[in-house]
């Protein structure tokens, strides 16, 4: 398969002089293979931002253009694709790479080239730990990590005076990382962890897992689920266990898994969860993004769409404040940014070049997911 760099066609303001050299932004994401829809979500978010930026006059009196490199979620594809953005297109900054192994693989490439990398959707705490002074000074992470997320969830549980939790997670890298993070955050906060269970892949019967979880009598159950969401909540209904459930999973999927009778009886009334982004947010700035995205593309945006949308604004803001589209100037401007997020808070980086955006605690209102708290 041939992987090429694709120039995104933007709607450029007619006020731009035809001779104006565009400001270039590189974006590497997944544009082929079974996860290409995820990369498309990022592309859509970036393009929505670029269209708005260019309609408002661009930056430095020039239009802004994005150059996309398909990494196919494969390091052996992603590294050469990134080098083409650097060596052939000469982009002064790159947003990427969505796929965790590719992000890891391109970080040293970016560091050697001394070109900033904005990690907008690879969530791992290891990216935070490896970035900033003393590490990779050219890596900037904008999406919360699993450590950020689980600390936020535990703060909220602590505010409810929850003294014990049981933890259960699917057998996957993402779920394992979150389970480790919530167990540590809970212990650090003085919350007793009564169980830490893993759901084996392709589990069909959950009775034994529920028996183990029940044994510790936790005040709240923290579930970190992916493929087993439907099966888990069907088993939750049949278990007759009344413990409240929170964590990281698809709330709508959990609701759909149980019977209407169970929902009507209040069986899911205390269901909650934590999210880095949700279309259920009532913030006007978020709803403006959601409405514009749906009108433009006919689909609902994801957190990937949102964080790349904001990362595009962050990069352009850095170029504007630097008064330059040179990599060194952009790097320094990213280090001093205080650009606000539509979620609240700002993208001001910490000592590891990592921003802290607010987390949304979701609950149910009128039977639908809604933001009930911000952490």
């Amino acid at each position: 398969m041939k992987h090429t760099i694709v120039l995104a066609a933007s709607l450029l303001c007619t006020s731009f002089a035809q001779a104006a050299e565009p400001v270039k932004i590189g974006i590497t994401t997944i544009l082929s293979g079974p996860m290409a829809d995820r990369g498309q979500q990022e592309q859509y978010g970036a393009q929505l931002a670029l269209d708005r930026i260019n309609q408002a006059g661009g930056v430095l009196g020039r239009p802004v253009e994005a150059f996309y490199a398909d990494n196919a979620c494969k390091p052996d594809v992603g590294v050469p694709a990134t080098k083409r953005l650097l060596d052939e297109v000469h982009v002064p900054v790159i947003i990427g790479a969505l796929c965790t192994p590719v992000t890891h693989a391109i970080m040293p490439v970016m560091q050697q080239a001394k070109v900033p990398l904005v990690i907008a959707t690879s969530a791992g705490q290891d990216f935070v730990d490896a970035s900033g002074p003393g590490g990779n000074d050219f890596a900037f992470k904008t999406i919360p990590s699993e450590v950020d997320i689980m600390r936020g969830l535990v703060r909220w549980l602590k505010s409810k005076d929850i003294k014990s939790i049981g933890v259960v997670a699917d057998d996957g890298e993402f779920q394992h990382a979150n389970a480790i993070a919530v167990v540590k955050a809970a212990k650090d906060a003085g919350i007793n962890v009564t169980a830490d269970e893993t759901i084996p892949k392709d589990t069909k019967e959950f009775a034994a897992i529920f028996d183990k979880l029940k044994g510790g009598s936790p005040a709240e159950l923290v579930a970190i689920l992916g493929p087993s969401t439907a099966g888990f909540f069907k088993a939750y209904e049949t278990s007759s266990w009344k413990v409240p459930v929170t964590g990281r999973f698809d709330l709508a999927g959990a609701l759909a898994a149980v019977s209407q009778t169970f929902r009507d009886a209040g069986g899911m009334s205390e269901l909650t969860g934590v999210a880095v982004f949700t279309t259920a947010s009532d913030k006007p700035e978020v709803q403006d993004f959601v409405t514009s995205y749906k009108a433009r593309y006919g689909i609902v945006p994801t957190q990937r769409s949102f964080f790349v949308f904001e990362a595009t604004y962050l990069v352009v803001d850095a170029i504007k404040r630097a008064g330059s589209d040179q990599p060194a100037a952009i790097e320094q401007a990213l280090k001093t940014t205080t650009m606000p997020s539509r979620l609240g808070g700002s993208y001001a980086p910490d000592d590891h070049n990592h921003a802290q955006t607010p987390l949304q605690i979701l609950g149910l209102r009128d039977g639908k997911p809604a933001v009930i708290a911000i952490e």
Side-chain angles (χ1 to χ4, degrees):
M1 180 183 295
K2 183 179 180 181
H3 298 277
T4 59
I5 297 171
V6 181
L7 169 63
S10 302
L11 295 174
L12 304 181
C13 271
T14 56
S15 60
F16 289 129
Q18 289 185 345
E21 179 71 20
V23 171
K24 300 173 181 178
I25 293 176
I27 300 177
T28 176
T29 189
I30 307 168
L31 296 175
S32 63
M35 293 187 290
D37 61 318
R38 299 183 184 186
Q40 186 179 63
Q41 292 160 8
E42 293 197 341
Q43 189 175 20
Y44 285 170
Q47 202 56 49
L48 182 61
L50 285 176
D51 288 348
R52 289 185 173 192
I53 289 165
N54 284 326
Q55 288 163 7
V59 66
L60 307 182
R62 295 153 59 191
V64 185
E65 293 182 355
F67 290 78
Y68 293 91
D70 177 19
N71 63 52
C73 200
K74 297 177 181 178
D76 62 344
V77 174
V79 169
T82 299
K83 288 181 176 179
R84 286 194 292 272
L85 283 175
L86 295 170
D87 299 338
E88 298 176 17
V89 184
H90 304 294
V91 297
V93 61
I94 291 178
I95 299 170
L98 173 57
C99 178
T100 294
V102 176
T103 307
H104 279 302
I106 69 172
M107 281 180 68
V109 174
M110 301 295 293
Q111 185 177 24
Q112 184 176 14
K114 293 182 167 39
V115 172
L117 171 67
V118 177
I119 303 171
T121 55
S122 292
Q125 177 66 23
D126 49 353
F127 294 116
V128 178
D129 297 338
S131 301
N136 190 328
D137 214 18
F138 290 85
F140 295 83
K141 189 170 183 302
T142 59
I143 193 170
S145 73
E146 74 274 3
V147 171
D148 302 323
I149 295 164
M150 289 306 163
R151 283 176 178 168
L153 179 62
V154 166
R155 284 196 302 271
W156 180 70
L157 292 172
K158 191 78 172 177
S159 74
K160 295 201 306 169
D161 200 29
I162 296 297
K163 292 183 168 40
S164 63
I165 62 170
V167 177
V168 60
D170 270 337
D171 186 7
E173 184 177 352
F174 170 85
Q175 289 82 12
H176 277 309
N178 279 267
I180 292 169
V182 76
V183 168
K184 184 178 187 307
K187 290 179 177 178
D188 289 346
I191 295 175
N192 182 36
V193 179
T194 64
D196 181 7
E197 297 294 329
T198 298
I199 302 170
K201 287 181 170 65
D202 302 319
T203 293
K204 304 300 181 187
E205 296 294 332
F206 292 82
I209 292 172
F210 272 92
D211 286 343
K212 291 179 182 179
L213 294 168
K214 285 181 181 180
S217 302
E220 190 113 5
L221 185 60
V222 177
I224 305 157
L225 308 175
S228 75
T229 299
F232 179 87
F233 280 99
K234 287 177 182 176
Y236 176 69
E237 177 178 358
T238 59
S239 73
S240 300
W241 195 19
K242 304 298 184 184
V243 66
V245 182
T246 190
R248 296 197 75 182
F249 50 82
D250 178 12
L251 263 69
L255 287 171
V258 301
S259 69
Q260 186 65 50
T261 300
F262 187 64
R263 293 198 297 271
D264 291 344
M268 302 287 269
S269 60
E270 294 187 80
L271 185 72
T272 57
V274 62
V276 297
F277 167 79
T278 174
T279 58
S281 171
D282 60 2
K283 286 186 172 294
E285 299 90 344
V286 174
Q287 285 307 307
D288 172 64
F289 164 75
V290 172
T291 300
S292 298
Y293 190 98
K294 289 168 68 175
R296 174 77 178 269
Y297 302 114
I299 56 176
V300 176
T302 66
Q303 68 184 41
R304 300 177 191 92
S305 313
F306 179 79
F307 277 98
V308 172
F309 174 83
E310 290 222 310
T312 304
Y313 269 100
L314 181 68
V315 165
V316 171
D317 175 72
I319 293 168
K320 179 180 179 180
R321 287 186 299 105
S324 169
D325 62 348
Q326 294 303 301
I330 297 171
E331 181 210 6
Q332 290 305 307
L334 286 171
K335 285 181 178 295
T336 59
T337 187
T338 57
M339 190 188 90
S341 169
R342 288 158 182 79
L343 298 171
S346 80
Y347 282 102
D350 62 16
D351 291 342
H352 288 273
N353 292 348
H354 180 41
Q356 304 289 330
T357 52
L359 303 168
Q360 292 82 53
I361 303 297
L362 301 176
L364 299 181
R365 288 179 181 158
D366 299 323
K368 296 179 180 180
V371 177
I372 61 172
I374 300 291
E375 284 293 338

